[in-house]
Amino acid sequence: MLFLALLTLVSLAAAVRAVTVSVSATASHAIPTTLWGQMFEDISNVRDSLAPTCPLIVLQNRAFQQVAPNTAGALNAWQSINGAALNVVADPIPVSSALPNSLQVTIPAGSTGSVGFGNEGYWGIKVTAGSTYTASFHYRFPTVSAFKGSFKISLQTSTGQSLVSTSVPISAASTAWAQVNVTLRPTVSAPSTANNFTVTLDGATASGQTVNFALFSLFPPTFKNRPNGMRVDIATTLAEMGPSFFRLPGGNNLGQIVSQRWQWNATVGPLLDRPGRVGDWGYINTDGLGLMEYLNWCEDLEMQAIMAIWSGFSLGGTSVAEADLEPYIQQSMDQINFVVGDPTKSAPAALRASLGHPEPFPLKYVEVGNEDFFAPSTYTYRWHDFVVTLQAEFPDLHFIATTDTFNPILSPNPLQYDIHVYQTPTWFTQNSFFYDGFERNATTYFEGEYAAISTNASDIFGTPEDGRLIFPTMQSSTGEAAFMTGLERNADIVFSASYAPLLNHLNQTDWTPNLVSFDAGNVYPSTSYYVQKLFSLNRGDEYLPSTLPDPTGTLFWSVVRKTSTREIIIKISNTVGTAAPLTFDLPFGTVARTGTAQILTGAATASNTPTTPNLVIPKNSTIATGKTFSYTAPGFSVSVLTLVAH
Ligand SMILES: *[C@@H]1O[C@H](CO)[C@@H](O)[C@H](O)[C@H]1NC(C)=O
Ligand SMILES: *[C@@H]1O[C@H](CO)[C@@H](O)[C@H](O)[C@H]1NC(C)=O
Ligand SMILES: *[C@@H]1O[C@H](CO)[C@@H](O)[C@H](O)[C@H]1NC(C)=O
Ligand SMILES: *[C@@H]1O[C@H](CO)[C@@H](O)[C@H](O)[C@H]1NC(C)=O
Ligand SMILES: *[C@@H]1O[C@H](CO)[C@@H](O)[C@H](O)[C@H]1NC(C)=O
Ligand SMILES: *[C@@H]1O[C@H](CO)[C@@H](O)[C@H](O)[C@H]1NC(C)=O
Ligand SMILES: CC(=O)N[C@H]1CO[C@H](CO)[C@@H](O)[C@@H]1O
């Protein structure tokens, strides 16, 4: 027995020899305050699912933007109730020039009971007892009539059971537009999210009447009660990550074709003035979440905007000729002035002031296009012409290039690059030292999009069957965390980093995996979300060099100090299933005898999904610490160890 036990000890020692990590007391570089943040461009899927959700709207196709009148498709998400005839028409008297289409509703002659229409939201509408829902719409009669009646506005289950309703008298059956504003306060919660927003008339009194409707809106309470604000649960989840920057408005969202590019001025001001656009993924963006809403969101979360401008290239492949660039450069200048300009000198800045924000928003970085490595030959003149003009106008701004660093050679030489990487978990593990060899000169880097998306290197953009991940897994998340320890080690040249994409509506997924998924009722933070949160909430302001991990190994770490609290914060990623013991040597005068460990750990394939939303979440524990202490990182784990040292 003794002999056996000894043998076991010997073999254990051979298998799991502790790695010794000696930490330096002297910092090598500062950690930029903007290191961890969020990249946003769309809801990866339905940007204005965004609508239903984050922000803007609960109702889908609420303003008939960009649809073809007189088609069935124009009625997307709308249904008749009790025989009402519905059609989307090009209204001869539109509610606004930006919104030319109206929903025309005819109550058939001889109707009885409640007749009208409903909207099913974005794959459902959550109805919660005690919440106040703010609803509004515009209406007019195509022909004047003597009709007297009222609209009944309700939230009801998909089987027609009323959850809450209110009636509004029709002031006059006039051909001029009128607006209805109501609030709905349900006293019961709906059993599911399969609910509808409905507007009905009494069929007998309204028999034969035709009414045009435009720009519907339905909002539950919003984050910080912002008008047109964000869905509270999603916004809270994003806020709890403690992001310090927000990359907007994309990404590919800048535009697939020139005429449908994202234009800042089509997204600000009254909703009536926002035409919406056919977005890059084929569905219609309401632009209810516009530039001002983005900036308010940044202000609410104390994030800096990293804002992109459209730089003369559309992802579909078109580059604007150099001779024709001027209006686009002017539009980008207007966009920047909207954010930072002086209202007494610039019309876009005056517009911002008129929307309630005379002070400029903080803005340091402007990204010139997106992924222009798709058009390097035209980026040479586009980069040059945009940057030379904008830099002269805005000397304090820093411009980020989006091509590969060595191709093409740009003038003026970029001092910031945005680097994107979608790869395998193994790639991230093996590239934890990606930036270590970069030349230390004035050039700095933004890891603007990164995610481990497939376990199959030969088919990184392939089908799920070949290894594409639907949700982040502990294997993918620990790979990303290994890479992120490298970003902290290289934070002298990496100024910001953001996982992408951020959000995914589960009922309209077209890209996986995503950081946070949601549906009409719930939010599902992924394992990678918790990794981002652990790094973001446990920042230091100084990097402390330590024994380097083996670049070809499976265990990675980084050590930072938060000088204000004298905390030493150690982040460890173990990217394989075998537990890994470490011994830390800390060269400080006094080191606390205990510290805390925040640990995220689970099986390689463990994911947080709608059926297992909290399968892997960080857990806290107290650990023994000291000038020398041991810690064993569980298999597939990300650990954050915090201790005080003087
Ligand atoms: C939306 O997705 C959720 C989660 O995947 C699913 O349970 C639900 O049935 C879907 N709803 C609709 C309306 O398709
Ligand atoms: C409805 O609310 C909007 C926004 O608050 C307001 O501008 C409008 O005047 C209101 N309309 C009516 C008829 O109360
Ligand atoms: C936005 O501004 C551009 C000029 O920069 C103009 O062509 C376009 O019509 C404007 N769009 C809207 C919706 O105001
Ligand atoms: C820094 O070095 C890189 C790599 O050699 C080079 O591409 C870049 O132009 C340099 N930056 C500056 C500002 O010289
Ligand atoms: C990886 O993807 C390639 C290309 O789709 C496929 O042929 C191969 O079978 C996949 N390998 C694995 C292990 O799934
Ligand atoms: C775990 O510890 C961190 C850092 O002290 C703290 O912010 C967090 O709230 C703790 N979490 C739980 C669940 O106690
Ligand atoms: C009248 C109406 O809008 N009905 C819809 C209610 O919502 C369900 C889905 O939850 C739709 O199928 C109905 O068309």
Side-chain angles (χ1 to χ4, degrees):
M1 283 306 277
L2 181 67
F3 182 68
L4 265 182
L6 268 178
L7 257 187
T8 309
L9 274 178
V10 169
S11 60
L12 258 183
V16 290
R17 208 159 81 216
V19 174
T20 299
V21 178
S22 298
V23 178
S24 163
T26 311
S28 56
H29 56 266
I31 305 280
T33 54
T34 52
L35 188 55
W36 308 118
Q38 295 174 346
M39 183 273 172
F40 180 82
E41 59 183 341
D42 196 313
I43 284 289
S44 147
N45 306 306
V46 178
R47 136 102 175 231
D48 284 333
S49 69
L50 211 211
T53 52
C54 296
L56 304 192
I57 336 166
V58 173
L59 303 177
Q60 189 169 184
N61 191 19
R62 66 166 174 179
F64 317 101
Q65 292 159 293
Q66 306 293 327
V67 298
N70 306 307
T71 62
L75 284 168
N76 178 33
W78 297 92
Q79 285 291 335
S80 164
I81 294 175
N82 205 5
L86 309 187
N87 187 27
V88 173
V89 297
D91 202 315
I93 307 175
V95 69
S96 68
S97 59
L99 302 177
N101 300 325
S102 302
L103 174 68
Q104 189 161 79
V105 180
T106 299
I107 312 298
S111 291
T112 54
S114 287
V115 185
F117 55 90
N119 185 294
E120 64 189 55
Y122 285 87
W123 302 279
I125 298 173
K126 186 177 187 178
V127 179
T128 311
S131 288
T132 299
Y133 294 75
T134 309
S136 69
F137 58 83
H138 300 255
Y139 72 93
R140 73 180 194 93
F141 285 70
T143 50
V144 185
S145 95
F147 174 69
K148 295 252 181 295
S150 61
F151 295 121
K152 185 172 174 193
I153 300 142
S154 314
L155 294 170
Q156 48 180 252
T157 66
S158 58
T159 54
Q161 187 196 336
S162 178
L163 296 159
V164 61
S165 72
T166 187
S167 283
V168 175
I170 294 168
S171 45
S174 150
T175 56
W177 286 101
Q179 189 178 12
V180 167
N181 293 328
V182 296
T183 53
L184 297 165
R185 281 186 205 86
T187 54
V188 287
S189 292
S192 81
T193 57
N195 306 309
N196 297 320
F197 168 80
T198 63
V199 178
T200 53
L201 294 95
D202 174 56
T205 37
S207 160
Q209 295 294 327
T210 295
V211 190
N212 289 4
F213 294 86
L215 184 56
F216 291 84
S217 178
L218 174 68
F219 272 91
T222 60
F223 187 71
K224 300 210 175 188
N225 295 316
R226 288 274 189 193
N228 292 325
M230 308 276 276
R231 203 175 99 177
V232 172
D233 55 351
I234 296 174
T236 303
T237 302
L238 298 183
E240 284 175 355
M241 208 176 106
S244 56
F245 72 87
F246 193 68
R247 178 173 170 228
L248 64 87
N252 289 356
N253 190 42
L254 285 176
Q256 200 64 251
I257 61 174
V258 178
S259 62
Q260 287 175 356
R261 71 191 185 282
W262 184 88
Q263 298 185 60
W264 74 274
N265 55 310
T267 74
V268 297
L271 295 178
L272 280 171
D273 295 339
R274 302 190 197 183
R277 65 181 262 265
V278 177
D280 286 26
W281 293 272
Y283 48 81
I284 294 152
N285 290 195
T286 68
D287 285 333
L289 181 67
L291 182 53
M292 191 70 186
E293 285 80 15
Y294 283 140
L295 295 168
N296 286 336
W297 170 238
C298 288
E299 189 162 277
D300 285 347
L301 267 59
E302 296 177 34
M303 298 183 289
Q304 201 178 95
I306 295 184
M307 183 174 76
I309 52 169
W310 190 81
S311 66
F313 166 68
S314 282
L315 271 183
T318 307
S319 290
V320 175
E322 185 167 22
D324 301 330
L325 276 184
E326 200 280 330
Y328 303 100
I329 297 175
Q330 181 60 49
Q331 190 171 27
S332 70
M333 196 178 291
D334 292 345
Q335 179 186 335
I336 297 170
N337 265 321
F338 180 82
V339 183
V340 297
D342 176 347
T344 64
K345 295 191 181 129
S346 137
L351 173 59
R352 180 194 72 234
S354 78
L355 298 174
H357 206 286
E359 294 304 316
F361 286 96
L363 182 73
K364 199 168 153 196
Y365 294 106
V366 167
E367 181 151 15
V368 181
N370 170 63
E371 296 190 346
D372 284 85
F373 48 75
F374 286 124
S377 62
T378 64
Y379 201 51
T380 46
Y381 67 78
R382 291 185 292 108
W383 166 265
H384 176 271
D385 293 5
F386 271 86
V387 170
V388 166
T389 310
L390 296 174
Q391 190 77 78
E393 186 76 11
F394 307 104
D396 296 336
L397 290 182
H398 302 275
F399 295 92
I400 304 172
T402 72
T403 40
D404 296 329
T405 48
F406 292 100
N407 173 37
I409 301 298
L410 296 171
S411 164
N413 194 12
L415 296 182
Q416 288 78 219
Y417 277 99
D418 179 2
I419 295 183
H420 296 175
V421 54
Y422 295 102
Q423 264 293 354
T424 61
T426 309
W427 186 96
F428 280 98
T429 301
Q430 292 173 345
N431 284 275
S432 171
F433 281 66
F434 186 83
Y435 286 100
D436 289 65
F438 277 47
E439 192 171 332
R440 265 48 190 178
N441 55 19
T443 302
T444 58
Y445 302 90
F446 172 30
E447 193 70 51
E449 300 182 18
Y450 65 98
I453 61 169
S454 173
T455 54
N456 185 345
S458 68
D459 189 16
I460 195 69
F461 290 109
T463 57
E465 290 73 25
D466 289 336
R468 183 77 181 219
L469 302 173
I470 306 302
F471 296 95
T473 62
M474 276 311 291
Q475 185 189 21
S476 70
S477 301
T478 53
E480 289 151 10
F483 186 72
M484 291 164 75
T485 62
L487 299 181
E488 282 195 338
R489 188 171 56 251
N490 288 278
D492 57 325
I493 58 168
V494 177
F495 61 92
S496 286
S498 42
Y499 180 103
L502 185 62
L503 290 172
N504 165 42
H505 194 308
L506 286 164
N507 297 107
Q508 184 74 358
T509 298
D510 64 17
W511 169 285
T512 64
N514 299 273
L515 199 63
V516 174
S517 293
F518 64 92
D519 54 27
N522 292 296
V523 187
Y524 309 100
S526 69
T527 50
S528 290
Y529 166 84
Y530 289 112
V531 167
Q532 293 289 325
K533 185 173 168 180
L534 283 171
F535 274 70
S536 180
L537 294 187
N538 295 283
R539 301 180 196 216
D541 46 276
E542 294 183 342
Y543 185 79
L544 299 183
S546 60
T547 308
L548 286 176
D550 175 359
T552 63
T554 56
L555 183 65
F556 298 86
W557 57 86
S558 61
V559 184
V560 298
R561 174 162 51 204
K562 190 171 177 181
T563 46
S564 60
T565 56
R566 306 300 298 176
E567 280 171 314
I568 307 297
I569 303 168
I570 303 170
K571 303 188 183 78
I572 305 161
S573 180
N574 183 2
T575 64
V576 292
T578 320
L582 299 104
T583 302
F584 289 93
D585 280 336
L586 301 176
F588 303 99
T590 46
V591 177
R593 298 170 76 91
T594 60
T596 62
Q598 302 176 66
I599 307 169
L600 185 74
T601 185
T605 56
S607 290
N608 293 335
T609 71
T611 44
T612 56
N614 297 313
L615 185 62
V616 189
I617 56 172
K619 300 220 166 65
N620 286 2
S621 56
T622 300
I623 53 167
T625 55
K627 290 188 187 186
T628 297
F629 73 94
S630 298
Y631 173 75
T632 297
F636 289 110
S637 67
V638 176
S639 307
V640 177
L641 313 182
T642 305
L643 53 105
V644 174
H646 291 271

